[in-house]
Amino acid sequence: MFQDFQVVRDRPVSIQVKEYVKRLIIKGAYQVDQKLPATREMSDLLKVSRNTVIAAYEGLEDDGFTYTIPGKGSYVAALVRHSNVNNEGTDSSTAWQIDWKARMNEYAVSAVELDLMKQGIRAQKGTISFTSIAPDEQLFDLGDVRRAFMDRMAIEGQVLLNYGYAKGYKPLIDYLMHYMENKGVDLTGKDMLITNGFTEGFDIVLSALRPSGRKGRAICENPTHHTAIKNLKLHGFEITGIPMERDGIDVGQLESVLKQEATSFDLAYLTPSYHNPTGIVMSPAKRSAVMKLMRKYQIPVIEDGFNEELRYSGAHVAPLIATAGQGNGVIYIGSHSKVLFPGLRVGWVLGDHALIHHLESMKRARTIHTSTFDQAILYQYLLNGNFDKYVKKARMEYKRKYELTKAYCEVYLPEAQLSGDGGLHLFLTFQTKVNTHQLLEACTVQGVIFTPGDKFFIEEGEGTNTLRLGFSRVSDEDIKLGIQIIGEQLRSLL
């Protein structure tokens, strides 16, 4: 009976013994009121110490699976079981079954259809993958993170392990408000909500702005962030995409669309810096022109901060919310996920005080609050002065990889038009006869994968000649080899 017991490392053995015996009881290997082997006998059977078995038996009694008769030993307690609705036992042939797939509503079905992770190609071991635009974990400064953790726990550890506030951890809010002020944002009449990264912030904002009684309508760049497309569609918004030019959104096309149907748009979603997927930074002149149009037609703007810190050349460009001055027409959603640590799910929404007032209540109703633990560690890490040091190091490394990737693309993929002024990826556009899904299939056989660009376009069939190359987590050698293979397969297809 006990031959299948195996001790695993890095877990208390007494807990492993307790759970093993518990499973035997549940499966019926031991009956009610049957005596368990004596602790000395069990220690011999399982090849563990007697003290380990004693601790395990105590745990079983605490959990209600056994009872002790002094001087006699441990016995199996009667388990409370629920019979099925017909009191006919628990035979699997009479088990209660529901067709959950048939019960899924339109939102749930659409979520699966729009889920890139479920539809994408799984990278086999050894595959060169350009699909990720997450930070390179080799750059994470674990010593500084550990120090921030210890510092904050020493100050208020017990508080951090309790419930927090829906609006967020006050010290972090104060820090981030100052951080945004340093970007040129006028904080007059503005407030902040801490969220579980960008995605939750975007979802809550869309929930608040979604019109009642009709479909919503949104303007965004085309192509744009797939997560944004997904959430806009899940919330029932019809999306009008405005083409991109080398320095950002096509302002002439935007103005033409607004002149014709301005009153029907509920919001605009824009990523002005290191746009995903193109990597383009909107020029100062276009930022000014876009803001004038949005103010003229009274269309709220959701600004995605994205990779704002990963600037490799040129001067800092102020975010759209900074150009709004004391105006309240821009909602800024920020996160350090692509710069710092995505594992700490912390983002923020900066906007008008009245808007944040409502978003706070929505946040409380949904998730109560973002992990105070994560917020506090991030706050202490920032407070300790680590952010600027880390960003400087990360910027240097990602700039090097960016230039390396760009250079290899120019050598091995001269047919491609490249875009990307910074960030963690490059966007490639080929002649229209190239289908990047076919190219991906050919490259996958050779051990290289990337993200086809049509995922980022509004309408089906657009962008089938484009792809995104994420280089942040790819080694120098694999960047060269991977791009070389893509080039070979492209010429083979052509």
Side-chain angles (χ1 to χ4, degrees):
M1 183 190 292
F2 304 102
Q3 294 175 349
D4 61 338
F5 178 74
Q6 297 286 335
V7 175
V8 298
R9 298 176 61 186
D10 304 325
R11 192 150 188 250
V13 180
S14 62
I15 293 178
Q16 295 181 54
V17 171
K18 182 186 81 168
E19 292 181 349
Y20 177 73
V21 177
K22 186 186 292 186
R23 285 195 296 274
L24 292 177
I25 294 172
I26 291 172
K27 290 177 180 178
Y30 283 104
Q31 302 300 313
V32 176
D33 296 327
Q34 183 178 350
K35 183 181 178 183
L36 295 179
T39 54
R40 195 181 303 278
E41 180 185 358
M42 185 65 93
S43 70
D44 291 337
L45 290 168
L46 299 181
K47 306 291 190 293
V48 297
S49 73
R50 187 185 177 198
N51 286 337
T52 295
V53 177
I54 291 172
Y57 278 17
E58 289 175 351
L60 285 167
E61 186 169 7
D62 289 341
D63 291 352
F65 280 81
T66 63
Y67 61 92
T68 302
I69 298 178
K72 290 188 177 183
S74 296
Y75 294 80
V76 177
L79 301 182
V80 178
R81 298 183 186 276
H82 293 282
S83 60
N84 67 18
V85 291
N86 295 317
N87 295 316
E88 295 173 351
T90 57
D91 178 47
S92 61
S93 64
T94 61
W96 183 20
Q97 297 293 327
I98 289 178
D99 184 355
W100 287 111
K101 188 174 180 180
R103 286 176 176 254
M104 293 299 99
N105 60 24
E106 185 180 349
Y107 184 98
V109 172
S110 297
V112 173
E113 292 173 351
L114 294 167
D115 191 345
L116 273 183
M117 295 300 291
K118 288 187 175 178
Q119 298 175 17
I121 293 177
R122 299 291 181 184
Q124 303 297 318
K125 190 173 183 180
T127 298
I128 299 173
S129 175
F130 291 104
T131 59
S132 175
I133 56 170
D136 181 358
E137 57 264 26
Q138 300 302 317
L139 294 176
F140 295 165
D141 42 4
L142 297 184
D144 289 336
V145 176
R146 190 178 298 113
R147 195 172 302 111
F149 169 78
M150 297 302 293
D151 288 350
R152 208 68 219 160
M153 287 299 287
I155 295 170
E156 52 178 352
Q158 291 175 313
V159 172
L160 302 184
L161 295 175
N162 212 326
Y163 280 109
Y165 297 96
K167 191 176 177 185
Y169 182 59
K170 180 80 164 53
L172 179 62
I173 290 175
D174 291 343
Y175 185 98
L176 290 174
M177 290 289 274
H178 184 63
Y179 169 77
M180 294 303 298
E181 191 174 33
N182 286 341
K183 286 179 176 286
V185 179
D186 189 324
L187 299 178
T188 304
K190 296 181 178 66
D191 205 350
M192 182 177 287
L193 173 77
I194 302 296
T195 62
N196 291 307
F198 163 83
T199 306
E200 189 196 30
F202 190 58
D203 180 59
I204 290 178
V205 170
L206 291 183
S207 296
L209 300 184
R210 181 180 62 231
S212 302
R214 64 173 176 85
K215 273 184 168 289
R217 293 199 64 195
I219 289 178
C220 65
E221 296 130 327
N222 193 30
T224 192
H225 188 9
H226 179 264
T227 296
I229 295 175
K230 176 172 64 177
N231 278 280
L232 282 164
K233 287 184 175 180
L234 287 174
H235 280 283
F237 282 88
E238 294 178 352
I239 309 171
T240 298
I242 307 297
M244 294 286 284
E245 298 180 319
R246 295 297 296 175
D247 61 344
I249 194 169
D250 184 336
V251 175
Q253 179 70 19
L254 175 63
E255 185 171 18
S256 176
V257 168
L258 291 177
K259 279 182 178 178
Q260 295 176 39
E261 26 183 356
T263 56
S264 65
F265 289 109
D266 301 288
L267 60 90
Y269 164 74
L270 302 172
T271 310
S273 295
Y274 311 114
H275 173 266
N276 186 11
T278 66
I280 291 171
V281 175
M282 192 186 296
S283 67
K286 282 200 169 180
R287 291 177 190 236
S288 177
V290 167
M291 291 304 293
K292 284 180 181 177
L293 285 172
M294 296 300 161
R295 182 169 61 248
K296 177 181 178 180
Y297 293 104
Q298 289 294 292
I299 298 174
V301 175
I302 300 175
E303 179 179 11
D304 185 348
F306 198 53
N307 278 341
E308 214 164 61
E309 301 299 339
L310 293 182
R311 172 177 51 84
Y312 302 146
S313 61
H316 168 73
V317 183
L320 297 178
I321 193 171
T323 66
Q326 293 187 9
N328 67 354
V330 180
I331 306 164
Y332 182 97
I333 306 180
S335 164
H336 286 325
S337 292
K338 294 296 184 287
V339 185
L340 275 175
F341 321 120
L344 293 179
R345 300 304 301 148
V346 179
W348 64 92
V349 180
L350 177 65
D352 182 77
H353 187 277
L355 170 73
I356 300 300
H357 175 75
H358 287 81
L359 298 186
E360 178 187 356
S361 295
M362 295 173 67
K363 167 74 176 176
R364 184 177 288 111
R366 292 179 170 198
T367 58
I368 304 179
H369 64 84
T370 297
S371 166
T372 310
F373 201 69
D374 287 5
Q375 293 182 71
I377 293 173
L378 176 61
Y379 165 69
Q380 190 66 47
Y381 178 87
L382 298 171
L383 188 67
N384 288 351
N386 297 311
F387 182 66
D388 289 341
K389 179 179 69 172
Y390 174 81
V391 168
K392 184 177 181 181
K393 177 180 70 172
R395 195 181 283 151
M396 287 177 60
E397 174 60 9
Y398 292 141
K399 179 184 179 183
R400 187 188 67 77
K401 280 193 171 183
Y402 163 81
E403 291 175 344
L404 189 69
T405 305
K406 189 168 179 285
Y408 285 135
C409 283
E410 289 167 350
V411 172
Y412 297 114
L413 293 167
E415 308 90 343
Q417 176 185 324
L418 304 180
S419 71
D421 301 311
L424 303 174
H425 62 278
L426 283 171
F427 194 66
L428 282 64
T429 303
F430 300 95
Q431 50 191 302
T432 53
K433 65 181 179 181
V434 173
N435 185 302
T436 52
H437 278 278
Q438 293 177 358
L439 179 59
L440 176 60
E441 288 179 13
C443 289
T444 302
V445 176
Q446 301 299 319
V448 177
I449 60 175
F450 53 80
T451 305
D454 62 326
K455 303 289 186 185
F456 305 99
F457 283 80
I458 308 303
E459 300 297 335
E460 191 172 342
E462 292 184 301
T464 54
N465 61 325
T466 65
L467 65 86
R468 188 187 71 182
L469 280 183
F471 54 76
S472 57
R473 302 173 73 183
V474 187
S475 68
D476 293 2
E477 298 78 12
D478 283 349
I479 289 175
K480 179 181 180 181
L481 178 59
I483 295 173
Q484 186 176 357
I485 289 172
I486 294 172
E488 290 170 355
Q489 297 307 308
L490 175 65
R491 279 176 283 283
S492 177
L493 284 175
L494 291 175

